[in-house]
Amino acid sequence: MAGEFPALRANEYRDAWCGQVLPDRVDSGVRVAGWVHRRRDHGGLIFIDLRDRTGLIQLVFDPDDTSGPAFELGHKLRAEDVLSATGQVVRRSDETVNPKMATGEVEIRVKDAELLADSETPPFEIESFSGEVSEEMRLRYRYLDLRRDRMREAIELRHRVTRAMREFLSGEGFLEIETPVLTRSTPEGARDFLVPSRLRRGSFFALPQSPQLFKQLLMVGGFERYFQIARCFRDEDSRADRQLDFTQLDIEMSFVNVDDIIDMNERMLAAVLAEGGVQVELPMRRIPYDEAITRYGTDKPDLRFGLELVEVTDVFRESEFKAFRGAIEGGAMVRALNAGTREMSRSDLDGLVSDAQELGAKGLVWAVVEGDGWRSPVAKFLSEAEISAANEALGASEGAVLLLVADEPLLSAEVLGELRRRLGGRLGLIEEGANELLWVVDWPLLEWAHDEERWDPHNHPFTSPAGEFDPDDPGAARAKAYDVVWNGWEIGGGSIRISDPDVQRKVFATIGIDEAQAEERFGFLLDALRFGAPPHGGIAYGLDRIVALLTRAESIRDVIAFPKSASGVDPLTAAPAPVDERQLRELGIAVRGGGPRREADGES
Ligand code: ASP
């Protein structure tokens, strides 16, 4: 909170913020309040670093200046006690100036002090927090964890980021509009959280996975520019760094095309990220989905380093090496990446083979360029011509480490893409402080869900196809969709929506939602689309992720005041928790199975 201090109305607790006690106040009286951050007893003198939201100030308890009761109190103070102290601001002597502290040139000679609340010994130290404190412990005592600088700064930045969003969007004529939390299922591909209705037994609300349908209805309602900082709920199995409830910046606009949306969003991102000191170069790069997969093996490429994938299927089409030739005949592609000239041990290389297998590939071939040949477990199966063609395609020179995967086209790309991502970090290819933002555009509209043997929307079923939609060739359809990717993280995504009810019906039918189901689940949307729906589209951003990237936090949990743990529970309130049998009865609900509810089951 450098520099600016919120106005303070003087009262019995304080008349200044701790951080505000600077050399310009020397010789004047001051009253401050806060928590005892650190206490040192130097013979006759007691030093306290007092902490409030704005920082630290040193208090000196000295029997020459300090009242008897206050001095006695000074003796008893312990870390995290809450104190109000009055005294004189004095300049510190040269040798005691603390350049690490914003208020380090001065101190307060305490006249009087009052203990406002005492603290038990905290379960972990706030002052000298070590990373060894378990996250479980931090979340159980989150209110103490939040007192740490790092957490406070993250939450302050989060506030500034949302404020920048609100200011930018308001300036562009967007209206902030709330949508319901108790609603119907909004298909975004996750499980719904359900809320039983007491008044309509046997019926359930769903918590929104996103405000998607309501924001579309707001466009039909004529608002044209909407945004909301919206809580969304997705009942997913604990997946790395996700939260069951999380926050989106949700946006929708009418009478716009993809370029309009991208233009507005780029300007907004530049304004918002500047809040966290990140400069965004405009216009941002745009990469078509297919290109992202071919060159980087992922739909969220990290462009802070090269290591691009190269397809070398043709090189090995006639190869004596059966693993490659056979795979190619079966429809596989051989993709490769040149990891550059590196010292990699045999066990590092074998480690990559097992990584690739864990990622689902049948195998991985490594090779090190040596003279005209390769040092590789498969070198003896390959002809000189194949090796030199591959070297040429990969731009490989002496000592280069090459990795090759032959597998289904998408899988071979994804496996190498993931290895690329890991190597980027491991080989130190990422420049400190670098930022690369881009748009991934031209997405497929649908994807084939092998397990269920049907087409699924790539994003959600309301995304507009680009051009005519041909239900006989769903795989060919492209979507008017776009994602924003920042340093390999998808931070936002959206699309132009279907605004024609017939197209919407066709898309529903293609993904296995028949007329009756469409009417039952989305009749209200289909109705609305019949009453003059403007062309419209929008986007949603993961706010938690954006703030986490800005603060370089390891987890989004570090930028949420009260997050769930990685396993989806809240150690602070112990939610989720069993409920009274009476509550269940009112709801007409009996719980079957499940740990803690078994006994209750028996009762009902
Ligand atoms: N509703 C989408 C989501 O939550 C975003 C959008 O299409 O605007 O991912």
Side-chain angles (χ1 to χ4, degrees):
M1 151 138 306
E4 42 179 276
F5 296 94
L8 206 59
R9 185 171 171 275
N11 63 12
E12 65 274 41
Y13 304 119
R14 62 177 173 188
D15 56 26
W17 299 92
C18 292
Q20 221 170 357
V21 183
L22 294 167
D24 61 336
R25 292 190 177 236
V26 166
D27 290 338
S28 50
V30 73
R31 181 179 300 140
V32 288
W35 288 261
V36 173
H37 189 63
R38 194 183 297 133
R39 177 180 175 284
R40 288 174 320 260
D41 204 329
H42 282 195
L45 300 182
I46 297 157
F47 295 91
I48 301 279
D49 284 347
L50 193 71
R51 182 189 72 238
D52 70 12
R53 213 180 87 181
T54 64
L56 298 171
I57 179 70
Q58 174 162 291
L59 311 180
V60 187
F61 291 68
D62 177 342
D64 289 345
D65 306 311
T66 311
S67 74
F71 192 71
E72 211 162 290
L73 172 63
H75 265 294
K76 282 188 278 178
L77 286 173
R78 300 194 314 159
E80 303 308 313
D81 284 344
V82 183
L83 187 72
S84 165
T86 313
Q88 186 84 3
V89 182
V90 300
R91 193 174 284 281
R92 296 199 203 181
S93 62
D94 285 349
E95 53 298 357
T96 58
V97 163
N98 180 353
K100 287 197 205 116
M101 221 161 135
T103 61
E105 286 177 54
V106 297
E107 61 194 14
I108 300 175
R109 302 238 130 210
V110 174
K111 285 205 171 63
D112 255 312
E114 188 191 348
L115 183 67
L116 301 176
D118 58 5
S119 171
E120 288 181 15
T121 307
F124 48 85
E125 285 183 12
I126 313 300
E127 180 227 333
S128 56
F129 181 84
S130 81
E132 273 146 44
V133 179
S134 72
E135 191 175 44
E136 165 84 17
M137 197 64 151
R138 287 176 51 203
L139 293 181
R140 162 87 180 75
Y141 295 96
R142 187 60 156 183
Y143 42 86
L144 297 180
D145 193 36
L146 289 171
R147 288 183 191 168
R148 292 165 44 224
D149 283 349
R150 226 192 117 98
M151 285 307 301
R152 199 198 53 251
E153 283 160 14
I155 299 296
E156 281 179 5
L157 177 67
R158 187 180 175 111
H159 162 75
R160 292 208 310 275
V161 163
T162 49
R163 187 184 58 190
M165 289 168 169
R166 288 197 158 98
E167 274 171 8
F168 180 89
L169 291 167
S170 304
E172 298 268 319
F174 283 78
L175 302 177
E176 183 168 7
I177 306 175
E178 287 160 278
T179 54
V181 169
L182 293 177
T183 177
R184 274 190 83 120
S185 180
T186 38
E188 296 279 358
R191 257 190 217 101
D192 288 323
F193 273 103
L194 298 176
V195 179
S197 159
R198 182 177 56 83
L199 298 175
R200 291 189 181 241
R201 272 191 170 210
S203 288
F204 295 80
F205 293 104
L207 303 182
Q209 291 188 36
S210 83
Q212 183 61 36
L213 293 175
F214 288 105
K215 68 174 169 174
Q216 292 191 230
L217 297 181
L218 288 170
M219 296 304 105
V220 181
F223 285 105
E224 302 202 27
R225 292 181 183 198
Y226 140 95
F227 81 98
Q228 179 178 197
I229 304 214
R231 197 58 75 82
C232 303
F233 306 85
R234 297 186 188 177
D235 188 5
E236 295 182 288
D237 296 331
S238 353
R239 273 211 267 155
D241 217 18
R242 298 254 179 158
Q243 286 280 303
L244 300 175
D245 54 340
F246 61 97
T247 309
Q248 279 188 346
L249 167 63
D250 195 44
I251 295 176
E252 197 76 3
M253 308 169 79
S254 292
F255 304 108
V256 286
N257 59 30
V258 172
D259 288 329
D260 296 321
I261 293 185
I262 286 186
D263 167 70
M264 192 288 287
N265 278 276
E266 288 189 346
R267 289 182 295 112
M268 182 195 71
L269 282 168
V272 167
L273 301 196
E275 224 22 87
V278 169
Q279 241 49 53
V280 183
E281 252 181 66
L282 301 187
M284 282 160 44
R285 258 169 89 168
R286 296 188 200 181
I287 297 191
Y289 168 87
D290 287 342
E291 187 182 327
I293 298 289
T294 328
R295 291 174 61 187
Y296 305 101
T298 173
D299 55 19
K300 27 183 175 301
D302 187 342
L303 298 191
R304 288 175 299 171
F305 58 97
L307 279 193
E308 289 189 25
L309 278 49
V310 177
E311 201 217 312
V312 288
T313 315
D314 284 343
V315 172
F316 299 103
R317 216 173 270 288
E318 312 289 335
S319 180
E320 294 294 309
F321 180 39
K322 291 216 192 63
F324 275 8
R325 199 185 63 223
I328 295 169
E329 282 163 4
M333 274 185 183
V334 186
R335 300 188 197 259
L337 74 76
N338 175 355
T341 308
R342 336 233 150 231
E343 284 304 318
M344 283 178 100
S345 68
R346 179 71 197 236
S347 73
D348 285 343
L349 293 164
D350 289 341
L352 291 171
V353 177
S354 31
D355 285 355
Q357 284 163 339
E358 266 162 41
L359 293 166
K362 284 188 252 339
L364 171 125
V365 166
W366 60 261
V368 180
V369 179
E370 282 181 358
D372 289 338
W374 279 0
R375 175 161 62 83
S376 165
V378 309
K380 56 179 176 290
F381 305 113
L382 301 172
S383 71
E384 254 174 50
E386 282 161 11
I387 290 179
S388 74
N391 283 348
E392 192 180 328
L394 286 157
S397 46
E398 184 66 21
V401 177
L402 311 179
L403 308 175
L404 297 91
V405 172
D407 225 306
E408 281 172 41
L410 187 58
L411 187 67
S412 60
E414 285 175 345
V415 169
L416 268 186
E418 176 57 20
L419 295 181
R420 171 187 178 272
R421 190 188 70 78
R422 295 180 191 177
L423 286 172
R426 220 183 285 164
L427 302 176
L429 304 180
I430 300 174
E431 196 188 311
E432 177 76 26
N435 283 294
E436 287 292 341
L437 280 107
L438 69 137
W439 292 95
V440 177
V441 296
D442 298 338
W443 290 73
L445 183 71
L446 304 167
E447 65 193 356
W448 183 249
H450 285 285
D451 302 347
E452 282 133 278
E453 299 254 305
R454 57 145 209 239
W455 291 102
D456 265 349
H458 217 281
N459 180 5
H460 51 57
F462 316 108
T463 297
S464 171
E468 277 294 298
F469 176 62
D470 177 4
D472 294 328
D473 190 7
R478 297 277 119 179
K480 288 188 187 168
Y482 32 78
D483 271 9
V484 188
V485 177
W486 178 7
N487 293 353
W489 292 93
E490 180 212 323
I491 57 165
S495 57
I496 299 291
R497 324 299 182 186
I498 297 170
S499 50
D500 174 337
D502 292 331
V503 177
Q504 186 65 75
R505 275 206 182 79
K506 275 190 210 156
V507 170
F508 281 150
T510 311
I511 61 173
I513 300 180
D514 66 24
E515 281 283 330
Q517 282 171 314
E519 222 27 76
E520 203 270 320
R521 289 175 63 191
F522 305 115
F524 64 98
L525 174 73
L526 294 168
D527 279 351
L529 295 184
R530 292 205 317 267
F531 287 99
H536 62 286
I539 193 164
Y541 291 93
L543 177 67
D544 310 302
R545 171 68 52 213
I546 290 179
V547 182
L549 283 162
L550 284 175
T551 57
R552 302 195 177 265
E554 266 161 38
S555 154
I556 60 168
R557 297 188 292 281
D558 282 344
V559 301
I560 299 173
F562 298 105
K564 313 277 180 289
S565 71
S567 52
V569 298
D570 175 8
L572 172 67
T573 62
V579 297
D580 281 350
E581 187 49 34
R582 189 176 49 83
Q583 277 179 296
L584 288 177
R585 227 176 290 128
E586 266 179 357
L587 296 166
I589 286 184
V591 177
R592 265 191 274 162
R597 296 309 298 160
R598 229 169 241 142
E599 287 157 58
D601 256 358
E603 276 167 38
S604 57

Coordinates of all heavy atoms in Angstrom, one line a residue, residues 188 209-210 212 215 234 248 250-252 459-460 493-495 497 538-540, ligand 1:
E188 N -21.5 -26.7 -19.0 CA -20.1 -26.3 -19.3 C -19.2 -27.5 -19.2 O -18.0 -27.3 -19.1 CB -19.7 -25.2 -18.3 CG -20.4 -23.9 -18.4 CD -20.0 -23.0 -19.5 OE1 -19.0 -23.3 -20.3 OE2 -20.6 -21.9 -19.7
Q209 N -22.8 -23.2 -13.4 CA -21.4 -23.5 -13.8 C -20.9 -22.2 -14.5 O -19.7 -22.1 -14.5 CB -21.4 -24.7 -14.7 CG -21.7 -26.0 -14.1 CD -21.4 -27.2 -14.9 OE1 -20.5 -27.2 -15.7 NE2 -22.3 -28.2 -14.8
S210 N -21.8 -21.4 -15.0 CA -21.4 -20.1 -15.5 C -22.7 -19.4 -15.7 O -23.8 -20.0 -15.8 CB -20.6 -20.2 -16.8 OG -21.6 -20.4 -17.9
Q212 N -23.8 -18.4 -18.4 CA -23.9 -18.4 -19.8 C -25.3 -18.1 -20.4 O -25.4 -17.2 -21.2 CB -23.4 -19.8 -20.4 CG -23.4 -19.9 -21.9 CD -22.5 -18.9 -22.5 OE1 -21.4 -18.6 -22.0 NE2 -22.8 -18.4 -23.7
K215 N -26.6 -14.6 -19.5 CA -26.0 -13.4 -20.2 C -26.5 -13.4 -21.7 O -26.7 -12.3 -22.2 CB -24.5 -13.4 -20.1 CG -23.7 -14.5 -20.8 CD -22.2 -14.2 -20.7 CE -21.4 -15.4 -21.1 NZ -19.9 -15.1 -21.1
R234 N -18.6 -25.7 -10.0 CA -18.4 -26.9 -10.8 C -18.0 -28.1 -9.9 O -17.0 -28.0 -9.3 CB -17.4 -26.7 -12.0 CG -17.9 -25.6 -12.9 CD -17.0 -25.4 -14.2 NE -17.5 -24.2 -14.9 CZ -17.0 -23.7 -16.0 NH1 -16.0 -24.2 -16.5 NH2 -17.5 -22.6 -16.5
Q248 N -15.4 -15.8 -12.0 CA -15.2 -15.5 -13.5 C -15.5 -14.0 -13.7 O -16.4 -13.5 -13.0 CB -16.2 -16.2 -14.4 CG -15.8 -17.6 -14.7 CD -16.8 -18.3 -15.7 OE1 -17.8 -17.7 -16.0 NE2 -16.3 -19.4 -16.3
D250 N -17.3 -12.3 -16.3 CA -18.1 -12.8 -17.4 C -18.6 -11.6 -18.2 O -19.0 -10.6 -17.7 CB -19.3 -13.5 -16.7 CG -20.1 -14.3 -17.7 OD1 -19.4 -15.1 -18.5 OD2 -21.3 -14.3 -17.7
I251 N -18.5 -11.7 -19.5 CA -18.8 -10.6 -20.4 C -19.7 -11.0 -21.6 O -19.5 -12.1 -22.1 CB -17.4 -10.0 -21.0 CG1 -16.6 -9.4 -19.8 CG2 -17.7 -9.0 -22.1 CD1 -15.2 -8.9 -20.3
E252 N -20.6 -10.2 -22.0 CA -21.3 -10.5 -23.3 C -21.6 -9.2 -24.0 O -21.9 -8.1 -23.3 CB -22.6 -11.2 -22.9 CG -23.3 -12.0 -24.0 CD -22.6 -13.3 -24.5 OE1 -21.6 -13.7 -23.8 OE2 -23.1 -13.9 -25.5
N459 N -16.7 -26.6 -26.6 CA -16.8 -25.6 -25.5 C -18.1 -25.8 -24.8 O -18.3 -26.6 -24.0 CB -16.6 -24.2 -26.1 CG -16.7 -23.1 -25.1 OD1 -16.8 -23.4 -23.9 ND2 -16.7 -21.9 -25.5
H460 N -19.2 -25.1 -25.3 CA -20.5 -25.4 -24.8 C -21.4 -25.4 -26.0 O -21.0 -24.8 -27.1 CB -21.0 -24.5 -23.7 CG -20.8 -23.0 -24.0 ND1 -21.3 -22.4 -25.1 CD2 -20.1 -22.1 -23.4 CE1 -21.0 -21.1 -25.1 NE2 -20.2 -20.9 -24.1
G493 N -12.0 -17.6 -22.2 CA -12.4 -18.2 -23.5 C -13.9 -17.8 -23.7 O -14.6 -17.5 -22.8
G494 N -14.2 -17.8 -25.0 CA -15.6 -17.4 -25.3 C -15.9 -17.7 -26.7 O -15.1 -18.3 -27.4
S495 N -17.0 -17.1 -27.2 CA -17.4 -17.3 -28.6 C -18.5 -16.4 -29.0 O -19.1 -15.7 -28.1 CB -17.9 -18.8 -28.7 OG -19.0 -19.0 -27.8
R497 N -22.2 -16.5 -30.2 CA -23.2 -17.5 -29.9 C -24.2 -17.8 -31.1 O -24.3 -16.9 -32.0 CB -24.1 -17.0 -28.7 CG -23.4 -16.3 -27.7 CD -22.3 -17.0 -27.0 NE -21.6 -16.3 -26.0 CZ -20.6 -16.6 -25.3 NH1 -20.0 -17.8 -25.6 NH2 -20.1 -15.9 -24.4
G538 N -19.4 -13.3 -26.4 CA -18.8 -12.9 -25.2 C -17.6 -13.8 -24.8 O -17.1 -14.5 -25.6
I539 N -17.3 -13.6 -23.5 CA -16.1 -14.3 -23.0 C -16.2 -14.4 -21.5 O -17.0 -13.7 -20.9 CB -14.8 -13.5 -23.5 CG1 -13.5 -14.3 -23.3 CG2 -14.7 -12.2 -22.7 CD1 -12.3 -13.7 -24.0
A540 N -15.5 -15.3 -20.9 CA -15.3 -15.4 -19.5 C -13.9 -15.6 -19.1 O -13.2 -16.4 -19.8 CB -16.3 -16.4 -18.9
Ligands
ASP1 N1 -19.5 -19.6 -20.4 C1 -18.2 -19.9 -20.9 C2 -17.3 -20.5 -19.8 O1 -17.7 -20.4 -18.6 C3 -17.5 -18.7 -21.4 C4 -18.2 -18.0 -22.5 O2 -18.4 -18.7 -23.5 O3 -18.4 -16.8 -22.4 O4 -16.3 -21.1 -20.0

